Amino acid sequence: MAVSSGGIVAGSGRSTPLWHRRAGGAKLVRGRTGRRMETGSSMASGGKIIGEYAKGKVDKLMTADAADSSRSQRIRHFLENMDAAILEANCEVIGRELPNLNRDSFLRMAVRVAELRADYIRAGLKMSESRHPDSAAVSDLARLRAAYEEMLAVYEAAERVIERGYAKLG
């Protein structure tokens, strides 16, 4: 569909206005289906947009370059190659740096998370006995929470390593 500078659909055999201006710089655009849709300032700025826009919801908006199927295919191919390279790098580095990541070490970490969670909750329960706990109890609770949260983060990171197949498990 070609558009003349006057906003008329060219080559369609009819002189249907493609758009007209509304207050505030927004335009009403006639889409492929013939229905009128309001656009934001992106069309008013002179950029070409291919796709559809429904007020309140954006669907399938892309530049002409992104709409080019060969470009999309090149982008998809590039991203697939990067994913493969990242997988290979992670497998190599994790395998070399963490040779002792196995069932026993993973289970030991899970138990340690449970113990630290219990310590943190126990301290919180003890602290709840007093309406105004002393600053040492508050500091101790903060220290226990930090230890629990850090060990939990390590456990979750190790879990991701195993789920993604970066580590060779025996």
Side-chain angles (χ1 to χ4, degrees):
M1 170 190 323
V3 179
S4 70
S5 61
I8 305 297
V9 177
S12 64
R14 56 193 159 103
S15 294
T16 307
L18 181 63
W19 56 268
H20 71 275
R21 290 203 180 272
R22 294 187 89 186
K27 295 179 185 178
L28 280 179
V29 178
R30 192 170 304 281
R32 287 190 319 247
T33 61
R35 74 172 190 235
R36 292 170 13 156
M37 299 171 285
E38 187 172 342
T39 68
S41 61
S42 59
M43 289 214 33
S45 67
K48 256 189 175 175
I49 295 181
I50 298 173
E52 298 176 49
Y53 177 92
K55 188 172 181 178
K57 182 179 174 189
V58 177
D59 280 339
K60 304 175 193 166
L61 287 178
M62 58 183 71
T63 64
D65 285 343
D68 178 22
S69 65
S70 66
R71 183 173 188 278
S72 295
Q73 193 174 24
R74 285 192 314 270
I75 291 170
R76 192 171 39 255
H77 183 69
F78 171 79
L79 292 174
E80 287 170 359
N81 285 338
M82 290 304 300
D83 285 344
I86 290 168
L87 174 66
E88 186 178 331
N90 273 289
C91 287
E92 180 183 327
V93 171
I94 297 295
R96 180 182 66 234
E97 298 293 324
L98 301 174
N100 297 329
L101 183 60
N102 55 35
R103 183 185 184 283
D104 291 338
S105 62
F106 193 72
L107 183 58
R108 186 173 46 248
M109 219 180 335
V111 170
R112 192 67 63 227
V113 169
E115 290 170 345
L116 290 170
R117 179 185 300 127
D119 292 345
Y120 172 54
I121 293 170
R122 184 180 309 106
L125 289 172
K126 185 171 192 284
M127 198 168 92
S128 70
E129 294 170 0
S130 171
R131 182 170 181 179
H132 301 286
D134 62 6
S135 61
V138 173
S139 296
D140 190 45
L141 186 65
R143 181 186 58 77
L144 291 169
R145 182 188 70 237
Y148 160 65
E149 289 175 350
E150 288 302 318
M151 186 56 77
L152 179 61
V154 170
Y155 176 83
E156 289 170 347
E159 191 174 41
R160 279 190 303 279
V161 162
I162 291 168
E163 286 172 350
R164 294 178 182 172
Y166 299 158
K168 301 287 187 228
L169 297 177

